[in-house]
Amino acid sequence: MKVATTLFALLLAALLPIANTAVAGDADFVLSNRTGYDIESVFVVPTKQKNWGKDHLGDGILANGKSRKISFDKQSTNCVYDIAIHWVGYDSSHDRSWERIDLCAIHKISLYYNEKTDVTTMKAE
């Protein structure tokens, strides 16, 4: 019995990396704006990428109190991303960004702004 248990444990350990491998669409998430301000641009790129790429909002905005699903190419196996936001009516000195967010481990990000401390925070669910 001990040999069978050990064999099962070894087999399970060998399969766990396969279970944790990113699958197409794993990084998709819902972004919820709870900041009190409208967001003009949302950039989400793999952490290794050197430029911010395309705006995930396109020509639209993410109004305060609203949410939007952010989706990725179904061929992508990336999980770890950097996120940057740009506010409607503000210059780039007010932009906020977060690095190395494992989007395969979460499904919703809510953004909050504290006017007293001038800090924008992210809550991942």
Side-chain angles (χ1 to χ4, degrees), residues 28-62:
D28 293 357
F29 69 99
V30 173
L31 180 64
S32 180
N33 180 5
R34 305 287 180 236
T35 63
Y37 298 89
D38 296 340
I39 296 173
E40 182 176 310
S41 305
V42 175
F43 301 95
V44 186
V45 297
T47 294
K48 296 173 261 178
Q49 189 164 314
K50 296 194 187 301
N51 63 50
W52 283 109
K54 72 172 187 152
D55 174 11
H56 281 268
L57 297 180
D59 292 333
I61 65 166
L62 182 56

Side-chain angles (χ1 to χ4, degrees), residues 35 85 87 94-98 111-114 117-122:
T35 63
I85 60 169
W87 309 103
H94 292 87
D95 291 358
R96 296 295 184 255
S97 62
W98 296 267
L111 300 177
Y112 300 91
Y113 176 70
N114 183 324
T117 61
D118 190 33
V119 173
T120 304
T121 57
M122 171 195 304

Side-chain angles (χ1 to χ4, degrees), residues 3-118:
V3 172
T5 303
T6 303
L7 186 57
F8 177 74
L10 288 172
L11 180 61
L12 184 60
L15 291 176
L16 280 177
I18 294 169
N20 288 330
T21 301
V23 178
D26 275 356
D28 293 357
F29 69 99
V30 173
L31 180 64
S32 180
N33 180 5
R34 305 287 180 236
T35 63
Y37 298 89
D38 296 340
I39 296 173
E40 182 176 310
S41 305
V42 175
F43 301 95
V44 186
V45 297
T47 294
K48 296 173 261 178
Q49 189 164 314
K50 296 194 187 301
N51 63 50
W52 283 109
K54 72 172 187 152
D55 174 11
H56 281 268
L57 297 180
D59 292 333
I61 65 166
L62 182 56
N64 179 55
K66 299 294 183 183
S67 298
R68 169 114 19 118
K69 184 172 183 175
I70 306 291
S71 298
F72 298 90
D73 180 348
K74 298 306 176 200
Q75 302 301 319
S76 176
T77 57
N78 291 319
C79 283
V80 182
Y81 287 82
D82 295 343
I83 299 172
I85 60 169
H86 177 78
W87 309 103
V88 171
Y90 290 86
D91 65 35
S92 62
S93 69
H94 292 87
D95 291 358
R96 296 295 184 255
S97 62
W98 296 267
E99 296 178 344
R100 295 182 289 281
I101 308 300
D102 184 352
L103 294 179
C104 293
I106 59 178
H107 302 289
K108 182 178 181 181
I109 292 176
S110 297
L111 300 177
Y112 300 91
Y113 176 70
N114 183 324
E115 198 169 331
K116 290 180 183 178
T117 61
D118 190 33

